[in-house]
Amino acid sequence: MKERTAQMRWEARTQGPLLVLAVVFGLAYAVPIVLPDAPAGVHRSCLFVEWTVWGAFAVDYLVRLSLAPYRWLFVRKHPLDLLAVLLPLVQPLRLLRVVSTLLLVGRRARMAPQITLTTYVAGAVVGLMMFGSLAVLAVERDAPEGNIRTLGDAVWWSFTTMTTVGYGDHAPTTGLGRVLAVGLMLSGIALLGVVTANIAAWFISRFERDDAEERRQTALLEALTREVGELRAEVARLSAGPAATAGEPAVPPPGPPTP
């Protein structure tokens, strides 16, 4: 219990800073893609920030692992966390760091009780669309047959892909770009299912609250009816006199003595 409490305290303290670092990571990832002609020092600084943020999430995972009461059980319950930590080490691509950081941010966000499901879904949509647009732009911009050349084209493609509309005016032509498309399609379907389930759950809970309120009012009305009936019976009993109340015939009071 002591280690578990320490783990919970660590997660509560690092929740905010890690989310801030995730935003910094997004900016560092976006700058070299949006500004490909930026000085080399800017690109190196962004690369350093990306690895630093990933390192912070990796350290967070190791600390949580050390504070867990049963470490093997912790590893089994958090496979995506471990995958996100090890993924950039297998092949140090920028896209893998994006995937790993998104996984780690998502896992930590779900552990935060103050973040509602709607807020998490909205953040996931924005994050996936932003990173998907930047990633496909970086892959397809220099492709010989690519038709996604600008950030606007990439954002439009991401939006139509995540919503599974797919107009076909923009489409990836490289293998990695198509892998990104598959990931965005699956993510869009999953998020759409979450949103639909959330709306349905809201309506169901609202109907249940209304039904519970109606049952409560009906119960109060029945209780009030019983009380009124009991009061009427009590008034009738009291108006019959004490003798009638005792179950004896009423005896008239004695008259004056005869002379």
Side-chain angles (χ1 to χ4, degrees):
M1 181 61 67
K2 182 178 180 181
E3 291 83 1
R4 186 175 302 174
T5 303
Q7 179 186 350
M8 295 174 62
R9 286 201 305 267
W10 171 264
E11 292 174 353
R13 292 175 181 175
T14 57
Q15 179 67 41
L18 288 179
L19 291 179
V20 172
L21 286 178
V23 175
V24 174
F25 176 88
L27 295 175
Y29 178 77
V31 167
I33 298 176
V34 178
L35 302 175
D37 298 330
V42 175
H43 287 260
R44 287 193 298 268
S45 299
C46 293
L47 184 63
F48 174 78
V49 170
E50 291 177 18
W51 278 109
T52 302
V53 172
W54 170 84
F57 278 99
V59 170
D60 171 70
Y61 176 82
L62 294 177
V63 171
R64 289 163 53 208
L65 177 62
S66 64
L67 295 177
Y70 304 100
R71 297 178 182 177
W72 177 242
L73 182 61
F74 178 85
V75 174
R76 291 178 56 187
K77 286 187 175 181
H78 303 83
L80 291 180
D81 292 32
L82 180 60
L83 178 63
V85 170
L86 298 179
L87 194 60
L89 297 179
V90 176
Q91 188 176 3
L93 295 177
R94 301 179 72 235
L95 184 58
L96 294 181
R97 289 197 299 278
V98 172
V99 175
S100 64
T101 304
L102 284 176
L103 287 174
L104 289 171
V105 170
R107 299 294 293 180
R108 291 306 302 270
R110 282 193 292 270
M111 289 186 291
Q114 71 273 16
I115 298 179
T116 62
L117 178 61
T118 304
T119 304
Y120 176 73
V121 171
V125 169
V126 174
L128 285 173
M129 185 176 298
M130 181 187 71
F131 283 110
S133 302
L134 294 172
V136 78
L137 179 61
V139 172
E140 295 289 327
R141 180 164 48 194
D142 298 329
E145 300 179 357
N147 53 35
I148 302 176
R149 304 290 185 182
T150 64
L151 182 60
D153 294 340
V155 172
W156 172 250
W157 172 83
S158 296
F159 187 82
T160 56
T161 302
M162 289 189 64
T163 55
T164 66
V165 174
Y167 285 106
D169 52 349
H170 295 287
T173 58
T174 63
L176 186 56
R178 290 171 180 172
V179 171
L180 289 172
V182 171
L184 281 179
M185 291 175 193
L186 296 177
S187 302
I189 294 173
L191 290 174
L192 182 61
V194 171
V195 172
T196 304
N198 195 24
I199 294 175
W202 182 83
F203 277 109
I204 292 174
S205 63
R206 182 63 181 269
F207 292 150
E208 288 179 349
R209 286 198 302 268
D210 294 341
D211 188 53
E213 180 66 21
E214 184 177 354
R215 289 198 300 268
R216 188 181 68 85
Q217 292 179 0
T218 302
L220 290 176
L221 184 60
E222 293 176 353
L224 182 60
T225 302
R226 287 195 300 270
E227 291 180 0
V228 170
E230 293 174 357
L231 288 175
R232 286 181 178 177
E234 183 69 17
V235 170
R237 187 178 64 83
L238 294 176
S239 62
T245 303
E248 300 176 356
V251 179
T258 58

